[in-house]
Each structure stands twice: as C-alpha cells, then as structure tokens.
Amino acid sequence: MHKKIYFSFILILTFVSYSCEDMLEPKDENIINEEFVFNDPVFSEGILLNGYNLIPTFSSVNNALDMATDNAVCNQPTNNILRMGTGELSSFFNPANRWGRYSNILYVNKFLENSNDVVWSNDPTINTYFSDRLKGEALALRALQHFYILQAHAGVSNNGTLLGIPYIDQFIEVDGDFNTPRLSFQETVERINNDFEEAFNLLPYVYTNNASEIHPKDQNKDEEAYLLVNSPNYEGRFCGLFVRAFQAKLNLLAASPAYLNSQDYYRKAAEYAAETINSAWNNILPTDGLTFYENNSSEILWAQPRSNNFSLEEDVYPPFIDGDGGDGRINPSHNLVASFPLANGYPATTSNGLDSQNPYDNRDPRLQAYIVTNGSSISGQNINTGISGGGNRVDSLVTRSTRTGYYLRKHTVSNVSISQSGGSVSAFHYDGYLRATELFLILAEAQNEVVGADGVLPGSFLSAREILAQIRKRPQNPGFVDNYLNGLSDITDLIKNERRIELCFEGARFWDLRRWNLPLNEEVIGSEFLGATDGYQTFSVENRNFQEFARFMPISNSEIQKFSALEQNNGW
C-alpha cells in the first residue's frame, strides 16, 4: 500500500578538489543555466517535481467548493467561493480557475525534452530504468494536470461543439507561440488517456523491494536493478496503480451525461476502477476508512505526509468551546443533513420514522462523524446552535457563527483543542489524493450505467449493489441489514446520494452537479432549534445564482483576449 508522498531526490555525492587559484577566482559555475541543470540529475529531477504542485487533496481548497453548492455556505461575506455561488462568477472572476496548471505542464515538458541527456547512473541498465521511470512520472503528471484543467474548463462553444482544452505536449519558450486552439472534448480525453497509458508502461505498478510484487509487464527486466530503481524509497511518487485510479476518474467524467454520455467510457471507467480496487484492497472496502483523516488508514491509496497542526479546526470549529473556539467558516446545509439516511438505511423522512423533535437521533452514524449538529459535542462540550446557544447560535456572531445551524466536523481531529489565548493542542491529520471509497463509487456508478444494479462487468468482482452494501454497512453495527437497498430495483439515485455523503467537503459535489446535469441553483436551507414548543424550524439561508451556461465554467477573459485561437465557452 502506498501511503505517503515524499518527493525524493536522487542523491549524488560529488567530490571536488580545488586549488587556491580555483577558490579565489570567480567561476561561471555560479550561474545555473539549462545546460548545468540537465547535466546534474538532482537539478533535473527538481524540474520534474514541479509537476506535482497543485494536485488537490481531500481537505485542500477543494473542500470549500461545497460552499458554492447545496451542501454548504460560508459565514464570511467577502469569501470568494460565496461570491461565486451567489452570482459573481464570470470570465473575469472565477475562483475555480485551473488554467494556471499549464505552467506545471511546461515544467514536465521541459524535463521530457531533456531527460534522455541526463546520466542517472553509470550503470547502463540502472540508468535506463531510472530514465524510464522518471519519464513515466512526467507523462502521468502531464496527463493529470490536463485532466484537472479539462474538468474545470471543458464546455460547449457558441456553435454547440463540445470542446476540451489545448493539449500542450512540448515546452514553449517565453517568446514562443502559445496561441493554441482547443481540441474537441473527446480528443482531449484521448490525449490524456494516451499519456496515462504510456506512463503506465514506463512506471512500476507499485514501488517494492519484493520480486514477487513485480508486475507481469516488468518481469522480463533485470530483477536486482529494477528493485533498486523502484524501491519503497520512492513510494508516494506516481506509479502504475495511481495511473489506473486517475484513468477511472477521467473516463467517468467523459462518460457523464453533460459530456459524451457514453457506454464505452463508462466501461473504461469501470475497468480501471475495478483493477485498482482489486489490486489495492482485494475488493474489500477498508473498515477503518470512515474517518480516514484521523488515522493512518488503508483507505488512503495516495497520501501526503501526515501534518501535526490545528489550523483546520481553528478555521471551522464553532466560535465558543470552553470559552475559545474557531471561525466556523464552512457551514453544512440542512439539504446535506437531510441526505443522510436513518440508522436503518431508509431515507430520513417522517413517513419512514424520522422524529421531527429529535431529528438527529437514530440516524446513520456518518452524520455525526461529518457534521456538528445541534446538541452534538466537540472536545467533550455540547454545541447548541439554537436558542440559548450564545455565540454558537445561528447568526449570533457575523463571520464566526453558523448561518445554517450546523458546523463542519469532517477532516477535523477529535483530540484537537483551540485556545485563542494560546495553549491550543494540535494533532496529526491525514490527507491525500486518492482513496478507496471514491474508487468503489466510481465502479458502482459506471457499472450501474452499463449492466444495472446487479450486473458485473469483465474484470470486476462486485456489482454496484454489493459496493453500496459495503459502503452503507461500514459505519453501522455488524448486524445491520440494508432492507432499503435490497428492495430497490433502480439504485442510480442512491449511488448519487452515497457519493454526496461520502465525498462531501472533498470538492466532488461542485463538479458532480455539473456532469450529471443536475440543477445548480437549489436553495440552501438551514435549521434552528427554537425551544421545546416550536422545535426545529427550517429557513432559507442563501440562493445559488448560476446561469444555466455555468454548467461549463469560463476560461479567463485575459486568456481569450491574448490568444485569438482560443475559443470561449458559450455564454461567457
């Protein structure tokens, strides 16, 4: 299992002797130019590593995108995501802009154009293996950065053509021609898939020092040299298994109704997701993955090094916890809370047994794991967001109190404590780029679209229904029986709801609404406890204000003005 991303450099020890004249005379070696960089493997690898920048993690700025959906709002009026979600999105103002990732792509292209000239080892076999692996990393990073740009900027042209993005596969000098037209959406997807596939063939499937774990595609290679070059010391760098996971994400996007609406791409997404699930987790969802951010869970396939801090808690905790607290910035909506089922798996409605006076009782355990509701606790203190709630009550303190009646718990760690006067207690947080539940959900969605709830495609070992059964049972007691799931013939809406719950505050909802062609402007609802007589009352918090053409996000106006070949998405 590949847990932590350490950007390891190849260490080269160079012994140089100087005469007195050498030490006193200034030399040209003080100037680092391109020739110098690509004559030194450490500097050369440094060019490549720029490609790893800006890959979004589960709890990065991505989680804030939920505040521009029906999942959440922000309590800070000047917040850019709030402004985007309430009508200010334009080609001049787009907080979800990813066009700047082309700079990362140019770095990896520069590396690819020069990597054959770098001597990675004096041993010819080892040198070839290093060269291949690093080229594989570069190709995978180029594909990945294009994928993120595509997700954020694909769209329909003024004449109705579904467009992708420019695909930059060579380094362009500062004075070079950047005036590159957009490919069609499908051409872009295929270019990304091709780079991923070439990367897969060059990369180790996993980093290992065990010959039995060498992938069949590499078993004809010199074993000793291969294990040296692809040892666990490089674990956390791009490998073939990560490539397959991202191919699953890419092809699911392509298959979706807003794009190609294609059975072929659903099949590809299912194929890549099934391979990843089988290889990484043997088709069994990790039981410790519910709060993966609190422990070194096998849920996380590609992780960052753990971090010891309390910055997230300071940002999202309620303002008063033992006199001190956080800024309560991200406020989950009642819309999202309502999507969490009852403890028996049925939708949380009064007709199914929801107690309107105690609406958070007898609910799926994931609700309390991810969201702070009225009456729940943090650090042993009850949080009251209704009457008599003080600073934690709805709209009590501008920019600090909740606007919805809820605070965010997901991604926070339970033993952190916040003190505005000093003495806060930090804890380790776990974050990353790929995790099991998303891959299981990709397989469920893609397979359901092709062969229905109970069909199993070649290469897969689980039906969509069996996947949902694992996901929904994980937080429950061992004896849980999912009669609701078992009684459904069509599980499409349930898959979408499970994705909403499991991937909330990981940046998924913002893009899912768009690729599924679902409404973008659902009214965001809150809920406040007004006392024993009046109970809980729902209220309007915020109206989403997206034009229908905002299903496809804009390209920055400055880019359109600079480059005549670059076509803007319709409406912008």
Side-chain angles (χ1 to χ4, degrees):
M1 191 57 57
H2 307 285
K3 296 275 185 159
K4 301 175 177 63
I5 184 158
Y6 298 118
F7 296 136
S8 307
F9 288 89
I10 300 170
L11 300 179
I12 308 294
L13 300 178
T14 306
F15 298 91
V16 181
S17 60
Y18 294 96
S19 68
C20 291
E21 179 182 353
D22 291 329
M23 296 178 68
L24 294 172
E25 291 291 324
K27 295 292 185 182
D28 290 341
E29 286 87 352
N30 293 325
I31 301 172
I32 299 178
N33 56 26
E34 184 175 317
E35 181 181 1
F36 176 87
V37 167
F38 289 106
N39 278 322
D40 186 306
V42 174
F43 280 95
S44 300
E45 191 176 12
I47 298 296
L48 166 65
L49 296 180
N50 283 283
Y52 282 97
N53 292 336
L54 300 181
I55 302 175
T57 65
F58 310 132
S59 69
S60 66
V61 67
N62 244 1
N63 69 46
L65 284 176
D66 278 37
M67 299 188 303
T69 73
D70 52 356
N71 269 5
V73 300
C74 182
N75 68 2
Q76 297 170 4
T78 60
N79 178 271
N80 284 344
I81 303 298
L82 181 150
R83 292 172 57 199
M84 176 175 70
T86 53
E88 292 190 49
L89 175 65
S90 73
S91 61
F92 298 91
F93 178 76
N94 178 12
N97 178 36
R98 290 176 176 172
W99 208 258
R101 292 169 184 271
Y102 278 114
S103 63
N104 303 82
I105 291 168
L106 290 175
Y107 273 114
V108 297
N109 287 342
K110 171 61 75 173
F111 175 83
L112 285 166
E113 289 181 7
N114 291 274
S115 62
N116 286 337
D117 299 328
V118 181
V119 178
W120 305 102
S121 171
N122 290 326
D123 181 293
T125 302
I126 294 175
N127 185 69
T128 298
Y129 290 177
F130 266 124
S131 180
D132 285 350
R133 196 202 80 205
L134 293 169
K135 281 189 285 188
E137 286 185 54
L139 288 163
L141 289 166
R142 184 167 76 188
L144 182 61
Q145 296 291 7
H146 276 104
F147 162 68
Y148 285 123
I149 299 169
L150 179 71
Q151 184 183 46
H153 297 289
V156 175
S157 70
N158 289 331
N159 66 10
T161 302
L162 183 60
L163 294 177
I165 56 174
Y167 204 85
I168 307 300
D169 60 1
Q170 57 186 318
F171 182 76
I172 304 174
E173 299 290 347
V174 174
D175 58 353
D177 184 7
F178 287 86
N179 194 21
T180 306
R182 297 167 68 180
L183 301 177
S184 73
F185 180 87
Q186 187 167 8
E187 286 173 323
T188 309
V189 170
E190 287 309 305
R191 291 290 295 276
I192 297 172
N193 264 325
N194 290 343
D195 264 357
F196 270 141
E197 204 59 38
E198 188 176 350
F200 179 83
N201 291 329
L202 292 170
L203 288 168
Y205 195 70
V206 295
Y207 292 98
T208 183
N209 52 17
N210 187 340
S212 67
E213 294 181 352
I214 297 176
H215 193 271
K217 70 183 179 67
D218 295 321
Q219 286 179 353
N220 62 339
K221 295 182 177 178
D222 181 283
E223 185 178 293
E224 183 178 358
Y226 180 89
L227 293 174
L228 173 69
V229 171
N230 301 301
S231 77
N233 291 334
Y234 301 98
E235 202 169 61
R237 303 279 281 269
F238 238 121
C239 64
L241 186 59
F242 299 168
V243 166
R244 289 300 191 232
F246 281 113
Q247 284 182 289
K249 289 166 69 80
L250 166 68
N251 286 282
L252 183 71
L253 176 74
S256 300
Y259 297 103
L260 299 178
N261 197 22
S262 164
Q263 293 279 298
D264 287 342
Y265 283 99
Y266 277 125
R267 286 180 180 274
K268 289 181 180 180
E271 174 189 343
Y272 295 130
E275 179 183 337
T276 307
I277 289 167
N278 186 41
S279 298
W281 299 285
N282 198 27
N283 302 297
I284 299 172
L285 188 72
T287 57
D288 60 352
L290 180 63
T291 54
F292 59 88
Y293 40 86
E294 288 199 275
N295 55 73
N296 196 22
S297 170
S298 60
E299 167 80 15
I300 303 179
L301 180 63
W302 188 7
Q304 284 191 322
R306 63 182 185 174
S307 58
N308 190 4
N309 59 65
F310 50 79
S311 57
L312 179 62
E313 288 78 7
E314 208 168 37
D315 189 33
V316 304
Y317 267 8
F320 289 99
I321 304 173
D322 293 330
D324 287 323
D327 291 328
R329 182 173 64 96
I330 300 176
N331 307 151
S333 66
H334 187 67
N335 315 52
L336 174 60
V337 169
S339 73
F340 287 81
L342 297 172
N344 63 8
Y346 282 79
T349 63
T350 53
S351 61
N352 285 331
L354 177 70
D355 182 352
S356 60
Q357 293 300 308
N358 300 285
Y360 313 122
D361 292 349
N362 194 33
R363 297 291 289 274
D364 186 305
R366 292 175 293 182
L367 175 59
Q368 292 300 324
Y370 294 160
I371 295 174
V372 178
T373 63
N374 182 60
S376 61
S377 65
I378 295 177
S379 301
Q381 179 176 333
N382 286 338
I383 304 300
N384 187 347
T385 64
I387 193 169
S388 303
N392 295 332
R393 185 180 179 179
V394 173
D395 290 334
S396 178
L397 300 172
V398 177
T399 75
R400 292 194 69 193
S401 298
T402 178
R403 297 172 58 205
T404 62
Y406 304 102
Y407 292 96
L408 179 64
R409 192 191 303 273
K410 190 175 184 181
H411 301 301
T412 67
V413 177
S414 57
N415 56 348
V416 165
S417 64
I418 302 298
S419 173
Q420 302 294 332
S421 57
S424 296
V425 177
S426 63
F428 283 111
H429 296 67
Y430 296 85
D431 204 356
Y433 312 99
L434 292 167
R435 69 184 186 97
T437 303
E438 182 177 8
L439 272 299
F440 276 73
L441 284 166
I442 290 172
L443 179 57
E445 180 179 346
Q447 202 164 232
N448 181 62
E449 291 294 330
V450 179
V451 292
D454 299 300
V456 178
L457 288 170
S460 176
F461 295 88
L462 296 167
S463 70
R465 192 188 303 276
E466 289 169 333
I467 291 169
L468 290 196
Q470 287 197 47
I471 291 171
R472 286 160 61 86
K473 186 171 183 176
R474 177 168 63 182
Q476 301 281 3
N477 294 322
F480 174 73
V481 177
D482 201 338
N483 290 321
Y484 179 71
L485 170 62
N486 295 339
L488 289 177
S489 56
D490 184 350
I491 64 171
T492 302
D493 288 342
L494 187 59
I495 290 171
K496 292 176 180 177
N497 196 66
E498 286 299 313
R499 188 173 168 94
R500 181 181 192 178
I501 292 170
E502 287 285 344
L503 304 185
C504 66
F505 305 104
E506 296 181 34
R509 181 73 173 170
F510 185 84
W511 305 113
D512 282 348
L513 290 174
R514 285 163 168 77
R515 70 180 180 86
W516 287 331
N517 279 334
L518 292 181
L520 302 180
N521 291 328
E522 291 291 323
E523 181 184 24
V524 181
I525 303 297
S527 177
E528 184 176 13
F529 182 68
L530 299 178
T533 301
D534 294 324
Y536 286 89
Q537 299 292 324
T538 59
F539 57 95
S540 176
V541 178
E542 190 170 281
N543 292 317
R544 291 283 158 261
N545 185 10
F546 289 109
Q547 299 289 336
E548 179 55 31
F549 56 75
R551 191 165 304 283
F552 302 114
M553 302 290 281
I555 297 170
S556 173
N557 181 71
S558 63
E559 298 297 316
I560 298 296
Q561 295 302 316
K562 283 186 291 187
F563 304 117
S564 59
L566 193 59
E567 188 173 358
Q568 180 63 279
N569 288 329
N570 180 50
W572 300 108

